[in-house]
Amino acid sequence: MTATIDTRVGWRFHSTCPPAWSSHVERCAGGFFHSPPGLAASGEQGEPFFAELMAGRYVVGIAAGVHRRCRVPPRPRHAHLPAPPAVAAGSDITPALAVETMVGRGLEAGWADLTIDSFEAVQEVPAGETGLPRPPRQEYDILLSGTPGELEARLASHHRRRLASGDGRTLRTLSGRDARALLLQVTSVARERASTRRGVTYDEVVLPPVEAFREDPAWGLTTYAVMRGDTPLSAALVGWAGKRAYYVSGGSTPDGYACNASVWLHFQVALAFQSAGFTHYCLGGAPASAVNPSDPSHGLHRFKTGFGSTVRACAGARWVFGGEHEAGHRLTRWIRDHFAGSREIP
């Protein structure tokens, strides 16, 4: 049904996930970062909120994020959305209007700032005249259309060769503490490996708590592992919601890295979501500079494009509403940085 837009367009906020949220996510073509486990996996600390963009009595858009409180005054002051708002097809609401309306709500509510990140973004978040663009990045999206054979045919030749060497491997799903332990192992190895390469950095991975690994029929976090016998070779934490799946984090053991197990892993994950009726599997992101052959992250770019993925340019934005509040935070950081070791001074 096409929603009729009137002048009463605004955001309605909830501190808990509304009962109809899964249908909103699917109708608005939302994704994993519009779901409760997506907020947990984003690494942002705070109180979750779920917002419906209302046009009269119709829900024409959704957003999910966290509020972080300041000590003074004790109310939500900082808002962070890991993904831009998603809007329903067939309405007159554009993504830019949804963002503009969210910025207006933050200003009216007395927020100190609003950050909209670019996970699963289909385009750059419009910063407008008052926002500050965040560093550009890009994501790699595998379209899960066609047959499994057609999906394989889209792979680069070097990826197809690595699939052929996958004899004796099995794909397993892990949950709870076992999943988290393996993910910590492989991400630590990946971080150590990146530290030996000039110019390559590997951010500290913030894995969600064990509770976030519980799955719901509408969304969830699944850990996939490539095994040779009982020996793990590679693992991937994948979030999913609204017919879209997203690679959150993962890596390979030294043995798995030596045999390129991650290629086999991600292709099997793509097949699993394809058979379940999903439409997209996003391999995550990389810096926008990764397209340059001289860039330290170019190897990651080649790995992800080798799956026949579509490269989407995206960037978030940030709005600062309270200049005095922001100045207070800068002063606090300056004092902390300059006097943290003062107790050691005789």
Side-chain angles (χ1 to χ4, degrees), residues 92-324:
D92 294 335
I93 297 295
T94 64
L97 180 57
V99 169
E100 181 182 340
T101 309
M102 180 66 73
V103 172
R105 173 60 185 266
L107 186 61
E108 293 173 0
W111 297 350
D113 56 49
L114 164 66
T115 299
I116 301 181
D117 220 325
S118 56
F119 293 112
E120 296 184 296
V122 296
Q123 60 186 13
E124 295 184 0
V125 175
E129 297 181 356
T130 59
L132 303 171
R134 291 173 64 82
R137 52 188 293 274
Q138 55 198 25
E139 291 190 336
Y140 302 81
D141 195 57
I142 300 176
L143 184 62
L144 301 179
S145 61
T147 66
E150 290 171 336
L151 200 62
E152 182 175 349
R154 297 174 201 156
L155 300 179
S157 58
H158 52 86
H159 275 26
R160 287 198 298 271
R161 287 194 298 270
R162 289 164 183 171
L163 284 186
S165 62
D167 292 344
R169 301 175 188 176
T170 58
L171 183 69
R172 298 185 190 175
T173 58
L174 305 177
S175 61
R177 299 187 184 279
D178 291 340
R180 204 168 191 277
L182 179 57
L183 289 167
L184 285 172
Q185 177 189 347
V186 297
T187 53
S188 296
V189 171
R191 189 165 54 251
E192 292 171 5
R193 189 164 54 244
S195 68
T196 64
R197 302 174 187 170
R198 184 177 179 180
V200 177
T201 59
Y202 193 93
D203 294 335
E204 189 74 24
V205 175
V206 180
L207 293 178
V210 173
E211 294 76 15
F213 287 71
R214 290 198 296 263
E215 295 181 1
D216 182 275
W219 45 63
L221 273 167
T222 302
T223 301
Y224 294 90
V226 182
M227 310 292 290
R228 180 178 287 145
D230 292 327
T231 302
L233 298 177
S234 187
L237 178 63
V238 181
W240 45 272
K243 301 302 181 183
R244 305 177 70 93
Y246 193 97
Y247 169 58
V248 177
S249 66
S252 298
T253 65
D255 288 343
Y257 183 75
C259 66
N260 299 301
S262 56
V263 173
W264 192 90
L265 169 64
H266 284 291
F267 185 70
Q268 297 302 318
V269 170
L271 290 180
F273 280 105
Q274 183 191 52
S275 66
F278 280 66
T279 59
H280 296 265
Y281 174 40
C282 183
L283 293 171
S289 58
V291 298
N292 301 320
S294 61
D295 191 86
S297 297
H298 186 65
L300 181 63
H301 172 77
R302 290 186 68 245
F303 172 79
K304 293 186 176 184
T305 55
F307 289 91
S309 58
T310 299
V311 181
R312 292 197 317 269
C314 50
R318 181 171 182 258
W319 293 262
V320 177
F321 305 121
E324 294 180 357

Side-chain angles (χ1 to χ4, degrees), residues 68 70-71 78 112-113 115 132 318 320 322-341:
R68 192 174 72 254
C70 283
R71 294 180 180 178
H78 305 275
D113 56 49
T115 299
L132 303 171
R318 181 171 182 258
V320 177
E324 294 180 357
H325 190 95
E326 182 80 359
H329 276 287
R330 287 197 298 268
L331 177 60
T332 301
R333 287 193 295 268
W334 185 89
I335 294 173
R336 181 191 61 205
D337 294 342
H338 284 73
F339 297 98

